[in-house]
mmCIF file of all heavy atoms in Angstrom:
data_model
loop_
_atom_site.group_PDB
_atom_site.id
_atom_site.type_symbol
_atom_site.label_atom_id
_atom_site.label_comp_id
_atom_site.label_asym_id
_atom_site.label_seq_id
_atom_site.Cartn_x
_atom_site.Cartn_y
_atom_site.Cartn_z
ATOM 1 N N ALA A 282 -18.977 11.006 41.005
ATOM 2 C CA ALA A 282 -17.678 11.702 41.011
ATOM 3 C C ALA A 282 -16.741 11.033 42.016
ATOM 4 O O ALA A 282 -17.153 10.659 43.104
ATOM 5 C CB ALA A 282 -17.880 13.163 41.373
ATOM 6 N N ARG A 283 -15.481 10.853 41.629
ATOM 7 C CA ARG A 283 -14.479 10.269 42.541
ATOM 8 C C ARG A 283 -13.105 10.755 42.117
ATOM 9 O O ARG A 283 -12.904 11.133 40.951
ATOM 10 C CB ARG A 283 -14.547 8.739 42.533
ATOM 11 C CG ARG A 283 -14.301 8.109 41.163
ATOM 12 C CD ARG A 283 -14.603 6.616 41.210
ATOM 13 N NE ARG A 283 -14.689 6.035 39.889
ATOM 14 C CZ ARG A 283 -13.701 5.374 39.273
ATOM 15 N NH1 ARG A 283 -12.538 5.224 39.875
ATOM 16 N NH2 ARG A 283 -13.869 4.867 38.077
ATOM 17 N N LYS A 284 -12.156 10.725 43.056
ATOM 18 C CA LYS A 284 -10.855 11.304 42.744
ATOM 19 C C LYS A 284 -9.914 10.203 42.255
ATOM 20 O O LYS A 284 -9.171 9.598 43.030
ATOM 21 C CB LYS A 284 -10.292 11.991 44.000
ATOM 22 C CG LYS A 284 -9.026 12.744 43.733
ATOM 23 C CD LYS A 284 -9.136 14.200 44.198
ATOM 24 C CE LYS A 284 -7.906 15.008 43.811
ATOM 25 N NZ LYS A 284 -7.874 15.440 42.439
ATOM 26 N N ALA A 285 -9.948 9.936 40.959
ATOM 27 C CA ALA A 285 -9.083 8.899 40.394
ATOM 28 C C ALA A 285 -7.947 9.507 39.575
ATOM 29 O O ALA A 285 -6.938 8.844 39.331
ATOM 30 C CB ALA A 285 -9.905 7.981 39.497
ATOM 31 N N VAL A 286 -8.132 10.743 39.118
ATOM 32 C CA VAL A 286 -7.101 11.379 38.284
ATOM 33 C C VAL A 286 -6.872 12.823 38.695
ATOM 34 O O VAL A 286 -7.722 13.444 39.337
ATOM 35 C CB VAL A 286 -7.484 11.420 36.777
ATOM 36 C CG1 VAL A 286 -7.506 10.051 36.154
ATOM 37 C CG2 VAL A 286 -8.782 12.158 36.547
ATOM 38 N N GLU A 287 -5.730 13.316 38.262
ATOM 39 C CA GLU A 287 -5.490 14.759 38.294
ATOM 40 C C GLU A 287 -5.504 15.211 36.839
ATOM 41 O O GLU A 287 -4.810 14.618 35.995
ATOM 42 C CB GLU A 287 -4.112 15.016 38.919
ATOM 43 C CG GLU A 287 -3.748 16.479 38.972
ATOM 44 C CD GLU A 287 -2.275 16.647 39.355
ATOM 45 O OE1 GLU A 287 -1.714 15.781 40.072
ATOM 46 O OE2 GLU A 287 -1.686 17.632 38.881
ATOM 47 N N ILE A 288 -6.278 16.235 36.556
ATOM 48 C CA ILE A 288 -6.338 16.723 35.170
ATOM 49 C C ILE A 288 -5.068 17.527 34.881
ATOM 50 O O ILE A 288 -4.679 18.393 35.670
ATOM 51 C CB ILE A 288 -7.607 17.572 34.955
ATOM 52 C CG1 ILE A 288 -8.831 16.659 35.087
ATOM 53 C CG2 ILE A 288 -7.589 18.266 33.601
ATOM 54 C CD1 ILE A 288 -10.159 17.361 35.006
ATOM 55 N N LEU A 289 -4.415 17.223 33.752
ATOM 56 C CA LEU A 289 -3.143 17.883 33.426
ATOM 57 C C LEU A 289 -3.326 19.058 32.467
ATOM 58 O O LEU A 289 -2.386 19.807 32.214
ATOM 59 C CB LEU A 289 -2.172 16.868 32.806
ATOM 60 C CG LEU A 289 -1.830 15.661 33.697
ATOM 61 C CD1 LEU A 289 -0.971 14.661 32.926
ATOM 62 C CD2 LEU A 289 -1.096 16.120 34.954
ATOM 63 N N THR A 290 -4.525 19.156 31.905
ATOM 64 C CA THR A 290 -4.790 20.229 30.931
ATOM 65 C C THR A 290 -5.997 21.020 31.422
ATOM 66 O O THR A 290 -7.128 20.574 31.227
ATOM 67 C CB THR A 290 -5.124 19.610 29.548
ATOM 68 O OG1 THR A 290 -6.030 18.499 29.758
ATOM 69 C CG2 THR A 290 -3.899 19.111 28.830
ATOM 70 N N ARG A 291 -5.759 22.158 32.041
ATOM 71 C CA ARG A 291 -6.895 22.928 32.544
ATOM 72 C C ARG A 291 -7.789 23.366 31.388
ATOM 73 O O ARG A 291 -8.993 23.374 31.465
ATOM 74 C CB ARG A 291 -6.385 24.156 33.311
ATOM 75 C CG ARG A 291 -6.771 24.111 34.776
ATOM 76 C CD ARG A 291 -6.036 25.121 35.608
ATOM 77 N NE ARG A 291 -5.907 26.439 35.017
ATOM 78 C CZ ARG A 291 -6.806 27.424 35.113
ATOM 79 N NH1 ARG A 291 -7.917 27.230 35.778
ATOM 80 N NH2 ARG A 291 -6.585 28.589 34.542
ATOM 81 N N ARG A 292 -7.160 23.719 30.301
ATOM 82 C CA ARG A 292 -7.879 24.000 29.049
ATOM 83 C C ARG A 292 -7.377 23.016 28.006
ATOM 84 O O ARG A 292 -6.227 22.577 28.099
ATOM 85 C CB ARG A 292 -7.562 25.406 28.543
ATOM 86 C CG ARG A 292 -8.162 26.462 29.385
ATOM 87 C CD ARG A 292 -7.690 27.834 28.926
ATOM 88 N NE ARG A 292 -8.086 28.822 29.900
ATOM 89 C CZ ARG A 292 -9.327 29.268 30.048
ATOM 90 N NH1 ARG A 292 -10.280 28.831 29.244
ATOM 91 N NH2 ARG A 292 -9.633 30.146 30.983
ATOM 92 N N PRO A 293 -8.208 22.695 26.996
ATOM 93 C CA PRO A 293 -7.716 21.761 25.987
ATOM 94 C C PRO A 293 -6.536 22.355 25.213
ATOM 95 O O PRO A 293 -6.485 23.565 24.985
ATOM 96 C CB PRO A 293 -8.922 21.561 25.061
ATOM 97 C CG PRO A 293 -9.791 22.753 25.301
ATOM 98 C CD PRO A 293 -9.567 23.177 26.716
ATOM 99 N N ILE A 294 -5.593 21.503 24.845
ATOM 100 C CA ILE A 294 -4.453 21.947 24.033
ATOM 101 C C ILE A 294 -4.879 21.878 22.562
ATOM 102 O O ILE A 294 -5.449 20.875 22.128
ATOM 103 C CB ILE A 294 -3.250 20.997 24.233
ATOM 104 C CG1 ILE A 294 -2.964 20.771 25.718
ATOM 105 C CG2 ILE A 294 -2.035 21.460 23.457
ATOM 106 C CD1 ILE A 294 -2.308 21.892 26.429
ATOM 107 N N THR A 295 -4.576 22.942 21.816
ATOM 108 C CA THR A 295 -4.935 22.957 20.391
ATOM 109 C C THR A 295 -3.668 23.156 19.555
ATOM 110 O O THR A 295 -2.649 23.623 20.072
ATOM 111 C CB THR A 295 -5.946 24.094 20.099
ATOM 112 O OG1 THR A 295 -5.380 25.309 20.591
ATOM 113 C CG2 THR A 295 -7.280 23.854 20.771
ATOM 114 N N PRO A 296 -3.717 22.805 18.276
ATOM 115 C CA PRO A 296 -2.512 22.913 17.452
ATOM 116 C C PRO A 296 -2.074 24.358 17.264
ATOM 117 O O PRO A 296 -2.911 25.263 17.182
ATOM 118 C CB PRO A 296 -2.936 22.317 16.103
ATOM 119 C CG PRO A 296 -4.207 21.601 16.362
ATOM 120 C CD PRO A 296 -4.857 22.240 17.533
#
Side-chain angles (χ1 to χ4, degrees):
R283 60 189 167 98
K284 186 126 185 79
V286 292
E287 179 191 331
I288 294 176
L289 301 175
T290 44
R291 244 167 43 87
R292 289 174 190 285
I294 310 285
T295 54

